[in-house]
Amino acid sequence: MSTTLEAPASTRGLVEITKVRKSFGTTEVLKGISLTVEPGGVAVIVGPSGSGKSTLLRTINHLEKVDAGFIAIDGQLVGYRVKGNKLHELPERDILKQRTEIGMVFQNFNLFPHLTALENVTEAPVVAPRPEKARLSQAEARERGLELLGRVGLRERAGAYPRQLSGGQQQRVAIARALALDPKILLFDEPTSALDPELVNEVLDVIRELAKSGTTLIIVTHEMGFARDVADTVVFMDQGQIVEQGKPQDIFTNPQEERTRSFFSKVIEPAFNI
Amino acid sequence: MSSAATRTAQSPAEKPAPTETPSPTEAQAPESQAAAAQTGETQAAAVPAGPADLRAAVDYADYRLVPARRPWRWVGTVLVALGVAAVAWSLATNPRWEWGVVAQWFTAKSVVNGLVETLKLTAISGVLGFILGFILALMRLSASPLLVSVSWTFSWIFRSTPLLVQMLLWYNLGYLYEKISLGIPFTDIRFFEAQTTTLISQFAAAVLGLTLNQAAYSAEIIRGGILSVDQGQLEAAAALGIPAWRRSTRIVLPQAMRAILPTAFNEIIGLVKGTSIVYVLAYSELFYTVQVIYNRTQQVLPLLLVATLWYVVITSVLSVFQYYIERHYSKGAVRTLPLTPLQKARKFFATHAPASTTGPANTAGRK
């Protein structure tokens, strides 16, 4: 499994989240989050439901606008442009450009059901505006799409519609779709939560391969064993705040905070040696 | 009860003509298949000392399947067939339907001209109505409060007023506004000016009335279709950097079409017959034409029948279109597309052809 990244890993995909706040109505779901993910790093965000993990992930590609704070990718602000001492909101087109460098994989796959697996993968490279890169022709996109489907082990299902695929296969197509734009960063929002237990591993295996590829990965998941395997950094969030972060071996075996300890004691079954 | 009773035995070696072979009794079956009982069937073996005839350890693979009989279905079929025959008989034999007159006028030049006008009105106001409706739906779904309220008000007004009133109002617009002009508001600059009465012909009034009315309804239909598409679809498309227009046309609309089409075709079929309302403008479409004819010839019912039959023809053609268009947009929504009537017919003749009698289903179906 070869990677097709152009730039050296060290210069691509630095994510800096600085004092990000976000409220829905009167509920503040992100209360001043700061987090740095190094280029090529793998950050796994864990925590109880409603802790703001998914919202944080969605602010990174500007699907969710932040109320305060800012997010930068390789030093470039997401969604805004600095002019003098003002932040100007970017027009839609520029936001779309930024998003092509940030792939996202959703809990519910969100594949386009009326398009085949291959069409799902080839749609964006043909039409999305990309920084410093031309759009692909249909033929180029097709070739690249088949290659990517091959990479997730689904080349022979290229003509299938999403509903004709199993959940695990659908999520693998969704990963191929996210890879089609050669993103610097990949965001995974609970990629295995909607899957039957026996289908979880086929998806996790694909993500494991990606973790070695030099793409920056930010993963929200409840799969603790997987987190321990794949993460450089594990981030524990609760009630809109980062409670604790660290290397997986430290945070899982020796959490410093009481909240972290009590969460892990609930989600990690001692019978399973993870 | 045991399914063995409803099946007939069939030995694969000697395959007799499909005569009714007597079913083996339940006692006989396990006995004669004693050898088969010993292969596998651990479940049966695990039952301790049960009566031998309760064990279903027979290999039924070689048995022929006989479908259950449904006598009441036959009774229902006969009753309905009788009813249909009675109606057909009365239609055919009652001289007052005057089928001869119907046939005589059905393809008469004046009627066909009226039909063309009806189709023209339907096509023009249908297309314009749905285009305007699409714009109104997008306005209604936009973030701008002004656009939302304008769209809402449009639908509110045109859905609240009877089409008849709208039609007469447009036709009599010249009474309200003598001249229509195009220019820069609040100045004297005019690019174009005309007498309203010359501008609003019967045709223009008819198209205007039907289009605006249609737009108000189709806006709601299209809006409903768009709302039925999962928000995650838009999110995924936005996350992939797909531009807004492409998101609408490639991702949302094709999926919305599934919800839009059935109701939209209802509307179009309604519009076909709805065009008959323009008779109030003395516009010679199909319905007005037959009215003129029967006022002269006094053959009221046969001529209404002429118009009705044409409406039936148009609706039938539209229904065929609807079927295939809906089928097109159900791509990916169902695991396998259902067969078209044509494919079904082909399959029926293929499986029921006398030459190819293989498999148990055929023998059962042919009886």
Side-chain angles (χ1 to χ4, degrees):
Chain A
M1 199 168 283
S2 66
T3 64
T4 49
L5 301 175
E6 288 83 4
S10 58
T11 63
R12 279 176 59 105
L14 168 68
V15 182
E16 294 164 290
I17 301 170
T18 314
K19 292 178 190 160
V20 161
R21 290 181 174 274
K22 173 77 189 174
S23 301
F24 292 120
T26 54
T27 338
E28 191 167 38
V29 287
L30 298 178
K31 301 171 182 166
I33 299 263
S34 294
L35 175 69
T36 302
V37 184
E38 297 298 329
V42 180
V44 173
I45 307 176
V46 298
S49 334
S51 57
K53 309 179 297 273
S54 291
T55 310
L56 177 65
L57 208 61
R58 292 156 55 82
T59 59
I60 297 174
N61 65 354
H62 210 62
L63 276 184
E64 217 70 81
K65 242 191 259 180
V66 299
D67 298 336
F70 54 88
I71 293 162
I73 286 168
D74 291 339
Q76 220 191 354
L77 281 187
V78 173
Y80 299 92
R81 184 176 45 214
V82 189
K83 212 173 179 184
N85 58 353
K86 285 183 187 153
L87 289 184
H88 292 263
E89 196 178 349
L90 286 177
E92 157 103 8
R93 195 184 158 76
D94 292 335
I95 293 176
L96 292 177
K97 266 190 194 173
Q98 290 189 329
R99 284 191 184 136
T100 60
E101 310 212 294
I102 313 168
M104 183 155 192
V105 175
F106 299 86
Q107 179 175 352
N108 298 319
F109 328 137
N110 287 344
L111 288 179
F112 307 130
H114 60 301
L115 305 180
T116 62
L118 183 61
E119 287 168 338
N120 264 280
V121 179
T122 57
E123 175 66 16
V126 175
V127 299
R130 302 161 79 180
E132 296 150 36
K133 259 183 240 167
R135 294 184 178 90
L136 298 188
S137 71
Q138 276 294 351
E140 289 167 333
R142 193 187 143 78
E143 194 179 324
R144 175 99 177 102
L146 285 171
E147 180 203 322
L148 285 167
L149 285 175
R151 215 169 133 185
V152 297
L154 288 171
R155 198 189 164 105
E156 70 287 353
R157 301 306 312 271
Y161 287 99
R163 283 204 178 85
Q164 296 166 331
L165 300 171
S166 74
Q169 290 173 330
Q170 288 188 49
Q171 192 60 298
R172 280 146 65 198
V173 172
I175 293 173
R177 181 175 74 171
L179 288 172
L181 292 160
D182 298 314
K184 301 178 189 177
I185 297 151
L186 275 172
L187 310 174
F188 290 89
D189 189 3
E190 304 198 19
T192 57
S193 295
L195 296 178
D196 290 341
E198 79 269 23
L199 300 178
V200 165
N201 271 325
E202 62 183 76
V203 172
L204 293 186
D205 287 344
V206 171
I207 303 176
R208 275 195 189 95
E209 286 299 326
L210 289 173
K212 297 176 202 153
S213 73
T215 313
T216 307
L217 306 188
I218 304 180
I219 306 167
V220 170
T221 186
H222 291 295
E223 302 282 337
M224 296 302 156
F226 168 72
R228 187 145 100 170
D229 270 11
V230 85
D232 302 328
T233 316
V234 174
V235 180
F236 174 66
M237 276 182 73
D238 191 18
Q239 295 176 8
Q241 287 170 320
I242 292 179
V243 178
E244 192 172 349
Q245 57 176 303
K247 292 203 169 71
Q249 57 268 35
D250 299 337
I251 202 166
F252 281 121
T253 51
N254 187 23
Q256 301 299 305
E257 298 287 329
E258 176 51 39
R259 269 193 285 173
T260 321
R261 211 170 299 144
S262 92
F263 175 74
F264 284 148
S265 72
K266 276 177 223 150
V267 295
I268 301 177
E269 281 185 56
F272 285 95
N273 190 16
I274 335 178
Chain B
M1 268 301 285
S2 162
S3 56
T6 57
R7 293 175 182 206
T8 50
Q10 185 190 37
S11 86
E14 35 129 32
K15 192 174 178 183
T19 52
E20 286 291 332
T21 50
S23 320
T25 65
E26 282 170 59
Q28 272 174 325
E31 213 171 55
S32 61
Q33 307 272 337
Q38 269 152 15
T39 65
E41 284 305 323
T42 51
Q43 201 191 348
V47 179
D53 57 346
L54 281 184
R55 299 187 190 176
V58 184
D59 186 4
Y60 295 117
D62 295 333
Y63 282 49
R64 189 160 59 93
L65 201 72
V66 179
R69 297 185 195 286
R70 298 181 172 81
W72 285 108
R73 189 184 284 179
W74 283 106
V75 172
T77 308
V78 168
L79 284 178
V80 171
L82 277 178
V84 170
V87 171
W89 179 254
S90 94
L91 280 174
T93 56
N94 187 343
R96 295 198 183 172
W97 285 107
E98 298 184 75
W99 288 105
V101 179
V102 173
Q104 176 200 337
W105 284 106
F106 193 64
T107 51
K109 195 157 181 293
S110 53
V111 170
V112 171
N113 284 344
L115 175 70
V116 170
E117 291 303 315
T118 291
L119 290 174
K120 213 162 81 184
L121 277 182
T122 308
I124 294 175
S125 28
V127 168
L128 291 181
F130 269 91
I131 291 174
L132 185 56
F134 179 59
I135 296 169
L136 285 167
L138 292 186
M139 285 167 67
R140 184 80 188 276
L141 292 169
S142 81
S144 150
L146 178 69
L147 292 186
V148 172
S149 14
V150 167
S151 171
W152 184 88
T153 311
F154 182 95
S155 289
W156 175 63
I157 290 175
F158 283 94
R159 291 197 302 176
S160 319
T161 39
L163 183 54
L164 194 65
V165 174
Q166 287 175 37
M167 214 64 97
L168 291 172
L169 195 73
W170 290 118
Y171 193 52
N172 294 306
L173 199 66
Y175 173 76
L176 296 170
Y177 302 96
E178 272 178 42
K179 286 177 180 169
I180 291 178
S181 59
L182 188 70
I184 298 170
F186 313 115
T187 65
D188 288 332
I189 304 168
R190 297 279 180 271
F191 306 122
F192 165 86
E193 199 170 61
Q195 289 288 325
T196 307
T197 41
T198 55
L199 210 59
I200 307 273
S201 61
Q202 290 156 318
F203 179 72
V207 166
L208 209 54
L210 290 170
T211 298
L212 296 179
N213 193 65
Q214 194 55 51
Y217 285 96
S218 45
E220 288 297 284
I221 293 169
I222 293 168
R223 188 171 70 95
I226 292 175
L227 288 179
S228 74
V229 177
D230 180 31
Q231 189 63 25
Q233 292 288 310
L234 272 177
E235 236 167 42
L240 284 165
I242 297 172
W245 178 251
R246 181 85 178 173
R247 287 205 292 271
S248 308
T249 56
R250 172 81 164 162
I251 307 299
V252 176
L253 262 189
Q255 297 184 59
M257 284 305 259
R258 266 177 65 72
I260 292 173
L261 280 172
T263 339
F265 268 95
N266 247 355
E267 281 295 310
I268 293 172
I269 286 170
L271 182 63
V272 172
K273 291 170 291 168
T275 54
S276 64
I277 205 166
V278 305
Y279 82 92
V280 295
L281 308 178
Y283 184 77
S284 54
E285 45 69 62
L286 183 58
F287 190 67
Y288 183 76
T289 307
V290 300
Q291 271 187 320
V292 169
I293 298 170
Y294 72 59
N295 281 335
R296 204 175 60 224
T297 66
Q298 297 304 313
Q299 294 157 320
V300 179
L301 278 178
L303 275 153
L304 284 178
L305 212 57
V306 167
T308 306
L309 285 177
W310 274 120
Y311 286 128
V312 169
V313 169
I314 300 172
T315 308
S316 313
V317 172
L318 283 174
S319 303
V320 173
F321 277 119
Q322 175 176 7
Y323 179 85
Y324 283 97
I325 295 177
E326 276 182 19
R327 195 178 141 83
H328 171 79
Y329 280 106
S330 67
K331 241 183 353 183
V334 286
R335 285 187 181 214
T336 45
L337 283 177
L339 296 178
T340 64
L342 214 63
Q343 288 169 330
K344 270 187 212 156
R346 258 192 229 124
K347 192 180 164 199
F348 180 86
F349 287 117
T351 49
H352 289 75
S356 64
T357 48
T358 49
N362 296 330
T363 2
R366 233 181 336 142
K367 270 198 288 206

